[in-house]
Amino acid sequence: MRIIVLFVAAFFCLVAQSRAQNDRSVDEAATGTVIGVVADSLSGDPVPFASVRVEGTRRGAVTREDGGFLLRLPAGAYTLNFSHVSFSAIQRSAVVAAGDTLYMDIRLAPAGVVIPEVVVALEDPAVAMMRRAIARKKMQADSLENYKYTLYTKFVAKADTNTAGRISIPGRDTVVIAIFESFSDGYFQQPDNYYNEIYQRRQSANVPPQANFVAFGTNLNAFDDFVSILGEDIATPFHPDALDFYDFVFERTLRDDGGRELNRIRAMPKSEGRRLFEGVIFLDADGYYPTRVDLEPNAAVRLPFDADLTYRQLFEELDGFVAPTGMRIDAHVNATFLWIFDPRLDVHIETVASDYTFNFDIDEDLFGRRRVEAADKVDEFDSTYWFDHAVVALTTEEERAYAEILTSIENPDSIESRSYFDRFSREINSVARTLNRKPFTGIQDVFAYNSINGARLGIGLSDDLFSNLEASGKCAYGLADGRVMGELGLNVFLDDLHRVGLKGQLHRDLLRRDSPYFVTARAITPVSLIFGADYGDYYYSEGFQAGLTFGFGQEQFIRREVFVKPHTLDVFVRQERQQNAPTGSSFSFFGGSERDRENPPIFGGMMRTLNAELNLDYSPLRRISDLGLRLTAEISDPDVLASDFSFERYEGALFWRTRTLPLWRLDLRLSGGFTRGDLPPQRFFSAETSVSGTAVDGSFRTMDVKEYYGDKYISINAEHNFGEVIPGLLRIPNVAAFGIEFIGVANMHWSEFDNKTRLYSGTDLPSIADTRRQVFYELGLGINRVLIFLRMDVTARMTQTDSPRFSITVSRATF
């Protein structure tokens, strides 16, 4: 069941995070509670998403689907304002007594409809209104420097009872499977800097506290140019070019009893060739700003399993600025897999933002941290704070779910319809999750398989000993080569923002001479074990490295608990005693007793090098920007470093992603390297290729494994994503509910050994320059997002062959 929770969180959570709790808490004895229901005065129906504001303060709440609301207020007399875009706003007095509960039944009368004067015009009146609203937004952007606010976030995931494995309320076919709640301080600074610090959080028992970084802040703002949902950037009706993207239709003007008028405007995409919304905007008739939007993505927006999603947001004018004060996202997903697995998932996200302060003296160091962080004492649960600051009351089902999920964790036998297999798999999943979470470094350090070590058993640990001190340790034993391996690492940062640090590492291990970032050790294990095709080129190494690291910018999420600065410079020295690593195991389940190729030999000896690595908006672990650059240098000089080797090695990589049309995208990778001096074989360049019918981004899909080497090379990888061609047409249930994309591929590679390297190393490894065509290129077509996560390519090798040679490869989907 936790896998479903993580699946939902991966799709619907935007990764998000000190004030001392004592400063925030209010003495419970001096606090009273206001509970009520807001309903339609004519029909008696509940009014959801109505605003409840406490006059003279920045406090308030938003009503639930059943119209209910809850406020905790210090004892005293208050005026409460109740408003909704479709109803007349009203005020009610409330006297809150300490320790008591005040119940309120609020009835809102439908807003009157203003019948406008009939005017013959060439354009709909809504167009002029939206033109002024967009101009108002631009004026705000010009005058707004920064702001801060307080944020409450609630994330609730539900599933059908078969998927959840339990029943909560008899007669209902859905059950809550996970709840995340948090309070955070949010900060924004122009042009696009966001930071949230979570100071209180709670979550259901099946979610570890470390996973609760839910803070859907004002980075989701329909009054911005774009709203990003699951990586899809959707142009809003307030985009500078919205009048070209949308048709706006004026529907009617609503007037409340206080004389305030709201214009109801319908926004409709002019085409399905761009990611847009459709829905209703309520625009203040005097200020030309939105008070509420009710929107849904159009067909060009690809949501997982073609999910149904509604996005609603409330706005208020505060100190002359328009700011979001409430948001609700509801999504419904039928996640069918090959007609076998058919879970139904519902996701509900709700936020309330308050206590805004604009254009103040902000600490810019805040934006050098992670996008969302947790305060030091965030997990010291403060029940008083939650009682006093409740802004969205939990439903009965949600309150019940907190207790039921805890019971299911403590007593698995209490869960209905759990088979033996379910219980067994649950324990396996629990162990795997634990090993992939701190203090462990990952399941790949517990078991791995390669042609040198054979089965490799071990353990890896990593943790923050102090806020600026990270330590790690790994040990392993290779069953085939009988070798004990280990690694110790220590990172000491000299400032709280981790901008400058010292890094050191000791190791006795099996290292790779090819890049470990393309085909990772975790990927090598199944391919090598099943098919006998080990991708790596290995050598044994004993030594250390130590140096300085510099990092700038807001830390970017990579995976699990790994974050990196977007701009880094590492300068370090490395000392290694290197030796050959002969093949130790030829076992595989289906590849026979012979390996596809032997591990290439190296030159043994003591290698001491001076190294530098520069990353600008680039990480070798995954893409973090649409334009990134990486440069590396390695120098080994016997006279200076007393090394057994004398060479220089330089390498660079550039990644560029750009839109060619609104739904089309070009990805371009350019990489190259060259060397000087006497280059040993362990520092040769090799082309990154597919292996056993699998491939990774940036690899050559029709090359044999490690087919070409060189002491210099140039690679160009170009992929053009043509999207769905016709949005929504090829969204096939059970197979491609995300929508199939078509990708054109063109790759080129050149490599060469100069005569000096050939003579020094004695290598007979082939380079592209040794072939008749002296350049390699391939052309292909990819079908992306099959079963959401997969991509299939048919690629033709156009050179080093008498006729085109076709290959079919499978890889992870490209996003």
Side-chain angles (χ1 to χ4, degrees), residues 555-620:
E555 293 188 15
Q556 305 290 308
F557 174 77
I558 299 296
R559 64 173 184 270
R560 220 173 51 215
E561 296 174 74
V562 178
F563 292 81
V564 299
K565 295 281 190 182
H567 313 300
T568 61
L569 173 63
D570 291 340
V571 180
F572 56 94
V573 293
R574 179 190 289 139
Q575 173 179 299
E576 297 178 308
R577 181 163 296 281
Q578 302 170 344
Q579 65 182 86
N580 276 305
T583 299
S585 174
S586 59
F587 172 80
S588 64
F589 288 110
F590 301 110
S593 60
E594 296 295 328
R595 285 274 155 181
D596 289 347
R597 63 189 188 93
E598 290 298 314
N599 187 50
I602 69 163
F603 285 179
M606 178 65 73
M607 181 180 288
R608 296 186 176 96
T609 58
L610 177 63
N611 302 263
E613 297 180 359
L614 174 67
N615 295 296
L616 300 175
D617 280 321
Y618 190 100
S619 169

Side-chain angles (χ1 to χ4, degrees), residues 329-637:
I329 294 177
D330 294 289
H332 174 76
V333 183
N334 283 312
T336 54
F337 292 96
L338 296 175
W339 300 274
I340 298 173
F341 186 47
D342 188 25
R344 188 174 73 255
L345 304 172
D346 295 319
V347 173
H348 172 80
I349 301 166
E350 194 162 0
T351 70
V352 176
S354 59
D355 297 327
Y356 277 92
T357 301
F358 299 92
N359 291 347
F360 67 105
D361 187 13
I362 195 170
D363 180 4
E364 295 191 5
D365 284 347
L366 290 171
F367 305 105
R369 306 173 185 271
R370 298 171 186 176
R371 164 69 183 79
V372 180
E373 289 192 350
D376 292 338
K377 298 182 179 180
V378 64
D379 294 320
E380 295 181 8
F381 185 74
D382 185 350
S383 59
T384 301
Y385 184 85
W386 284 89
F387 180 87
D388 290 339
H389 293 80
V391 292
V392 177
L394 295 176
T395 65
T396 302
E397 182 183 16
E398 292 164 355
E399 290 178 343
R400 185 169 180 168
Y402 265 117
E404 288 178 347
I405 292 173
L406 177 61
T407 300
S408 72
I409 298 297
E410 295 177 342
N411 182 19
D413 293 332
S414 67
I415 303 176
E416 298 185 30
S417 355
R418 184 172 292 283
S419 65
Y420 174 79
F421 175 78
D422 292 333
R423 297 176 188 178
F424 179 72
S425 62
R426 177 178 178 273
E427 293 305 318
I428 293 178
N429 291 334
S430 177
V431 171
R433 281 193 304 273
T434 300
L435 293 175
N436 281 316
R437 188 185 305 136
K438 278 189 175 184
F440 299 101
T441 56
I443 198 168
Q444 75 278 358
D445 291 320
V446 176
F447 174 81
Y449 187 86
N450 59 62
S451 61
I452 310 301
N453 300 139
R456 175 183 171 123
L457 306 178
I459 194 70
L461 299 172
S462 175
D463 210 353
D464 300 329
L465 301 183
F466 302 100
S467 61
N468 292 338
L469 178 62
E470 300 173 355
S472 63
K474 299 178 184 179
C475 63
Y477 178 74
L479 297 184
D481 60 358
R483 191 176 181 90
V484 177
M485 293 155 288
E487 176 188 304
L488 292 174
L490 193 67
N491 299 334
V492 181
F493 292 99
L494 305 183
D495 66 318
D496 292 338
L497 297 180
H498 294 188
R499 289 180 292 203
V500 182
L502 304 172
K503 289 188 176 183
Q505 181 203 70
L506 294 170
H507 70 268
R508 181 179 189 267
D509 209 347
L510 180 71
L511 301 186
R512 289 171 58 184
R513 69 187 207 179
D514 59 319
S515 172
Y517 300 118
F518 275 84
V519 180
T520 64
R522 179 176 288 198
I524 284 177
T525 292
V527 174
S528 184
L529 187 59
I530 296 172
F531 302 109
D534 194 331
Y535 185 84
D537 288 348
Y538 302 98
Y539 63 91
Y540 289 125
S541 170
E542 297 180 20
F544 73 90
Q545 72 177 47
L548 286 168
T549 181
F550 305 89
F552 305 95
Q554 191 167 60
E555 293 188 15
Q556 305 290 308
F557 174 77
I558 299 296
R559 64 173 184 270
R560 220 173 51 215
E561 296 174 74
V562 178
F563 292 81
V564 299
K565 295 281 190 182
H567 313 300
T568 61
L569 173 63
D570 291 340
V571 180
F572 56 94
V573 293
R574 179 190 289 139
Q575 173 179 299
E576 297 178 308
R577 181 163 296 281
Q578 302 170 344
Q579 65 182 86
N580 276 305
T583 299
S585 174
S586 59
F587 172 80
S588 64
F589 288 110
F590 301 110
S593 60
E594 296 295 328
R595 285 274 155 181
D596 289 347
R597 63 189 188 93
E598 290 298 314
N599 187 50
I602 69 163
F603 285 179
M606 178 65 73
M607 181 180 288
R608 296 186 176 96
T609 58
L610 177 63
N611 302 263
E613 297 180 359
L614 174 67
N615 295 296
L616 300 175
D617 280 321
Y618 190 100
S619 169
L621 300 174
R622 77 168 182 88
R623 182 182 68 83
I624 60 173
S625 172
D626 288 342
L627 179 63
L629 175 68
R630 174 177 170 85
L631 299 173
T632 66
E634 183 180 29
I635 299 173
S636 180
D637 188 328

Side-chain angles (χ1 to χ4, degrees), residues 291-309:
T291 60
R292 172 172 170 166
V293 296
D294 294 352
L295 303 172
E296 296 181 1
N298 70 344
V301 179
R302 295 184 305 277
L303 299 177
F305 304 103
D306 207 18
D308 296 324
L309 183 143

